[in-house]
Amino acid sequence: MKRIYMDHAATTPLAPEVLEAMIPYFSKRYGNPSSLHSFGREAREAVDDARTEVAALLNAEPSEIYFTSGGTESDNLAIKGIARKNKKKGRHIITTSIEHPAVLEVCKALTREGFEVTYLPVTREGLVEIGAVEEAVREDTILISVMHANNEIGTIQPLEEIGRLAGEKEIYFHTDGVQTAGKIPVDVNSLGLDAFSLSGHKLYGPKGAGALYKRKGVRIESIQQGGGHERGMRSGTENVPGIVGLGRAARIAEENMAVESERMRSLQDRMRGWVLKNIEESWLNGHPVKRLPSNLNFGFRYIEGESLLLYLDAKGVAASTGSACSSKKLAASHVLSAIGLSPVESHGSLRITLGMANTEEEVDYACRAIFDSVKRLREMSAMRPE
Ligand SMILES: *Cc1c(COP(=O)(O)O)cnc(C)c1O
């Protein structure tokens, strides 16, 4: 049976060129970038080249990029690092109710250190309203952290407006850009950002490699002490193969972005149109227009999402319900609750996230598979009236 992968928000396969670029750094180029001999210099140059490639993707300076182990660590570093370093100025943080756990749990942990956190609500489409941000700002607000695009429903936030407000009020502005880096254009300057988190494995790079952009001059303290690598921001010998892979992935993403996002958008339209037209009592979660080109999040009444996933898996289609991180818990998705879905409605959700290898034929096959699975499940469903 052929297998179709449509869960790219959970992780992506390595691009073949990325793997190729990484291989020498697992074998003959094993130097430690801190060493002064030729082995070390070779590794240092590779890390610096990757830094330039990641910076270019965000319109940042290479000196503003710090390598980490991924999105989770970048979020931890940005939020804890900025909060702790600036706590004399204030102890109030603003974020949203739909963030990834890598932000939500960090904020929760900071409340145990005496910080106060405001969680902004979102609209039915998953948008943060600028008025709500304005209202939440206090004298002692030191940081606003609003994700760029949501990993479950794909809604893209109005960062430029929020960035302008943060700039006027002299509040640091961080975004979790793990779902947007490499998928839609990001310009940290026009968005008014002070910090931006990204992760390699969400953009056809390796797992365990990520980066934090931190604007020059932003006051932050490291959360990991040691030998002072990454200019004191992130101690620990650099993951050279991972960093090289991340750099190459960033470069490829930038080169392909215009063409690839257009292609994703058209596949999204194709699937969305077909499913909503042919499957009764179905809807799309998230914003109809301001959404990632690759994200579809459907709701199906009288359906239990986990069962739908298993049916699809049996037909070779890999998708998800809620998010990969919460799929092992039975609690309703905090994102779908935040946009106002009832627990029953949110349990009938299906997230399809498209990627580089997906074709029109695969989309058509997946549509059919969803149709058949929903039909079969509804025939058996006890949730259905009559
Ligand atoms: C995947 C993801 C993360 C975590 O990144 P890792 O590299 O897996 O730690 C953080 N935020 C968002 C929005 C994500 O989708």
Side-chain angles (χ1 to χ4, degrees), residues 220-296:
I220 188 167
E221 70 179 44
S222 160
I223 56 172
Q224 177 157 301
Q225 284 66 50
H229 306 78
E230 292 294 286
R231 289 147 289 146
M233 276 274 283
R234 203 279 183 171
S235 285
T237 300
E238 297 86 342
N239 169 10
V240 180
I243 290 169
V244 166
L246 172 57
R248 183 57 57 94
R251 193 210 297 179
I252 296 171
E254 200 185 8
E255 286 166 0
N256 295 346
M257 193 181 299
V259 172
E260 194 56 18
S261 73
E262 198 43 48
R263 207 178 68 85
M264 288 298 111
R265 179 78 62 193
S266 108
L267 292 181
Q268 184 202 104
D269 287 347
R270 189 180 181 94
M271 178 173 253
R272 179 172 161 177
W274 197 92
V275 167
L276 298 181
K277 174 163 167 266
N278 292 287
I279 304 183
E280 283 168 33
E281 307 220 49
S282 64
W283 66 89
L284 186 74
N285 292 311
H287 198 282
V289 184
K290 294 172 189 166
R291 70 186 301 127
L292 288 171
S294 48
N295 174 291
L296 290 144

Side-chain angles (χ1 to χ4, degrees), residues 284-331:
L284 186 74
N285 292 311
H287 198 282
V289 184
K290 294 172 189 166
R291 70 186 301 127
L292 288 171
S294 48
N295 174 291
L296 290 144
N297 189 310
F298 294 111
F300 300 106
R301 212 171 292 286
Y302 318 120
I303 290 292
E304 209 269 306
E306 317 275 312
S307 312
L308 179 54
L309 270 198
L310 295 179
Y311 270 58
L312 288 176
D313 191 43
K315 295 178 193 294
V317 178
S320 100
T321 177
S323 68
C325 322
S326 60
S327 64
K328 294 220 173 69
K329 306 176 203 156
L330 270 173

